[in-house]
Amino acid sequence: MKIILLLSLLYLSPLFSIDKKLILAEGNSWFSHMARNFVPSHDYIAKLPFSGFVMVGNSYTDLVMQKGRVLTYKKIWDEVKEMKNLYPNKEMFLQVNIHFPADFWDDKAWNQVSQNFAIVAKVAKELGFKGIVFDDEPYSKEAHKMINFKFPTTKEIQRNPKKYSSWEKKGSKIDWVDKEAYRNPKYSFKEHIEKVTARFNHIMQNMLHNYPDLTILVYLGPSMSHENSNKNYPIVINMGQPCIHEFHGAIFTGLKQGLSLQASLHDMGESYKYRQNKHFGYAYQWRKFDIANDKYNNLDANYHWVVPKSERASWSTEVNVGFMVSNLGQKSNYEEYNTLNHSSREDIGETLKKALKFSDKYVIYYSKNQNWLNPASKKYQLQKGWREMMEKIYGNLH
């Protein structure tokens, strides 16, 4: 009943609100969303029909969480300093990519990571940027250690059943699931979750020390970690085996715990397969409310990530829900989520409208094989009508 009531209210709400923001994250090349392009192309980019943009650095974006990296303010500032107050009418975000810096109990390494994040936050503030985008999707084998806990495989348990405890047996997976996962053998799954949460709590506090009203957008978010995400309706599409990304939830919870009253945290729930109102409505209901409901967290925390009891009551007030839309279609095991033939200009335009209607504030448009940012490039030029479509959507936000 609560879901039906919520969706009814949302369907009847105004199409857009002036508080909604449409942010462009372009995925064609590193150069197109670097300062080296945003500065000389300013006159063109500033007129694009978006509320703001995601920007990467020459190198810092991929170094913040890399093993042994010590970032200085000067290094980061020198990469982006020309952007200071250059886009006063746009909301700009610096991107940080996830990596595996060290064992979660390595205080020295993690204190350095926390300091790296804090410097990025300071740079964002002094540039006049809105905040940080944290891309928590791993792009390397090493980075996968940062999101997967290494349970034993079912075959390992069959070969040596006396070696493993009951929680390890219950959390075991088939062979392919945890090949690139990580576990400190001295500690349990629950202890890993608690330590990762504590690390990102510290990271958030350090960032807010330098930038008290920071806005942080997290791409994948906590739903990837929760076993009940797909149980009642497909929320996280094609998520694979339950609990294959255990640390996403712990990472997000830590960021939430470190929040101040001035800062804001946004779960962008990266999924590009929503096309219908009900898809967005169900996803919003799950990520905003149900994921923190006691009945959905009645799981064994020894081998499942659950929303901590201390965070459930404040979840819906402290966690903002956003969406991401891509111009490229994707296959899905669920036929209604198969977007390969539902990604025309008209389809994407209607999808953006729905995403903006259901989001708390932000929608990220992730473009591939579409060149929005680099007017000098002849590769991936926009096809006829795309800019006009986006201008109509953007115009409705103002």
Side-chain angles (χ1 to χ4, degrees):
M1 177 63 71
K2 184 167 69 172
I3 291 177
I4 295 173
L5 176 61
L6 174 68
L7 294 183
S8 297
L9 291 172
L10 287 168
Y11 292 149
L12 294 173
S13 65
L15 182 60
F16 296 143
S17 160
I18 58 173
D19 294 327
K20 304 295 178 77
K21 302 294 181 181
L22 178 60
I23 307 298
L24 174 67
E26 191 171 284
N28 296 326
S29 70
W30 200 264
F31 171 79
S32 66
H33 51 312
M34 291 170 58
R36 287 169 56 193
N37 181 53
F38 273 101
V39 174
S41 303
H42 170 268
D43 291 345
Y44 167 79
I45 293 175
K47 297 175 183 175
L48 288 175
F50 297 97
S51 309
F53 306 95
V54 178
M55 195 185 88
V56 298
N58 302 355
S59 61
Y60 83 83
T61 290
D62 225 24
L63 300 181
V64 174
M65 291 190 68
Q66 277 197 12
K67 189 175 296 184
R69 295 290 184 173
V70 178
L71 297 183
T72 64
Y73 174 84
K74 184 178 186 304
K75 175 178 176 54
I76 300 176
W77 182 253
D78 284 348
E79 291 187 11
V80 298
K81 60 186 178 183
E82 293 177 286
M83 290 291 294
K84 183 175 175 63
N85 298 324
L86 191 60
Y87 288 85
N89 298 319
K90 300 289 186 181
E91 294 199 1
M92 305 294 293
F93 293 86
L94 294 177
Q95 181 172 325
V96 173
N97 291 344
I98 196 168
H99 285 280
F100 179 75
D103 175 76
F104 303 139
W105 282 264
D106 186 336
D107 289 339
K108 181 179 179 181
W110 277 92
N111 285 339
Q112 183 59 57
V113 170
S114 185
Q115 182 61 27
N116 290 346
F117 269 98
I119 292 172
V120 175
K122 181 178 181 180
V123 169
K125 182 177 188 296
E126 295 188 4
L127 286 174
F129 278 28
K130 187 69 175 179
I132 291 172
V133 159
F134 182 44
D135 188 351
D136 54 336
E137 179 178 354
Y139 299 111
S140 67
K141 289 184 178 181
E142 190 72 7
H144 273 269
K145 294 180 181 179
M146 192 58 243
I147 63 167
N148 285 342
F149 177 83
K150 190 172 182 60
F151 281 106
T153 67
T154 51
K155 286 185 178 179
E156 287 172 332
I157 291 174
Q158 289 170 359
R159 286 195 298 265
N160 196 347
K162 295 182 180 181
K163 180 181 177 181
Y164 301 100
S165 60
S166 60
W167 69 265
E168 290 174 303
K169 294 176 181 177
K170 291 177 181 178
S172 67
K173 304 290 185 295
I174 57 179
D175 291 348
W176 62 268
V177 172
D178 290 318
K179 281 184 178 179
E180 296 160 357
Y182 175 76
R183 176 186 177 184
N184 183 323
K186 295 181 181 179
Y187 302 99
S188 68
F189 169 76
K190 186 176 181 181
E191 289 171 320
H192 279 70
I193 291 294
E194 292 170 349
K195 181 58 74 172
V196 172
T197 300
R199 292 301 186 196
F200 278 85
N201 183 338
H202 186 237
I203 285 170
M204 179 63 104
Q205 290 186 48
N206 266 12
M207 289 194 294
L208 298 185
H209 177 76
N210 286 340
Y211 192 172
D213 51 348
L214 175 76
T215 294
I216 183 165
L217 314 184
V218 182
Y219 272 177
L220 289 176
S223 290
M224 293 294 286
S225 296
H226 205 295
E227 183 164 351
N228 280 324
S229 287
N230 276 10
K231 288 296 175 69
N232 293 302
Y233 32 72
I235 298 300
V236 182
I237 309 305
N238 290 344
M239 116 183 183
Q241 296 294 318
C243 295
I244 148 180
H245 298 299
E246 297 93 348
F247 297 141
H248 283 301
I251 288 168
F252 194 88
T253 301
L255 294 172
K256 178 185 178 298
Q257 287 180 351
L259 277 174
S260 67
L261 291 176
Q262 295 167 272
S264 64
L265 176 64
H266 299 255
D267 166 20
M268 300 308 296
E270 185 174 1
S271 180
Y272 303 117
K273 298 173 182 175
Y274 304 137
R275 289 292 182 270
Q276 301 177 36
N277 274 311
K278 67 177 183 179
H279 298 160
F280 288 101
Y282 287 149
Y284 184 91
Q285 174 70 28
W286 171 255
R287 290 161 51 209
K288 187 75 170 179
F289 300 103
D290 289 352
I291 194 173
N293 191 306
D294 286 344
K295 72 176 182 179
Y296 291 114
N297 288 283
N298 188 23
L299 302 166
D300 189 338
N302 289 311
Y303 68 101
H304 291 106
W305 174 73
V306 297
V307 177
K309 286 186 177 180
S310 61
E311 305 304 314
R312 294 175 193 173
S314 61
W315 190 271
S316 63
T317 56
E318 293 186 352
V319 173
N320 297 281
V321 169
F323 292 98
M324 298 179 69
V325 176
S326 175
N327 59 301
L328 296 186
Q330 295 183 357
K331 290 183 65 175
S332 173
N333 294 333
Y334 301 92
E335 185 54 37
E336 68 174 300
Y337 289 95
N338 188 334
T339 60
L340 287 179
N341 298 316
H342 299 285
S343 293
S344 67
R345 185 184 70 232
E346 291 76 15
D347 290 324
I348 299 306
E350 290 302 310
T351 300
L352 283 167
K353 291 176 184 177
K354 293 165 187 171
L356 285 160
K357 178 172 69 173
F358 282 92
S359 71
D360 284 328
K361 185 169 185 178
Y362 289 104
V363 168
I364 289 179
Y365 179 61
Y366 183 71
S367 67
K368 291 280 287 186
N369 303 338
Q370 273 188 345
N371 186 348
W372 290 89
L373 292 175
N374 186 2
S377 175
K378 297 188 183 301
K379 193 174 183 180
Y380 303 136
Q381 289 296 306
L382 286 176
Q383 294 179 338
K384 184 179 179 181
W386 278 86
R387 177 158 181 164
E388 290 77 7
M389 176 270 288
M390 200 67 71
E391 285 173 342
K392 289 180 180 178
I393 292 172
Y394 178 66
N396 284 328
L397 298 177
H398 300 273

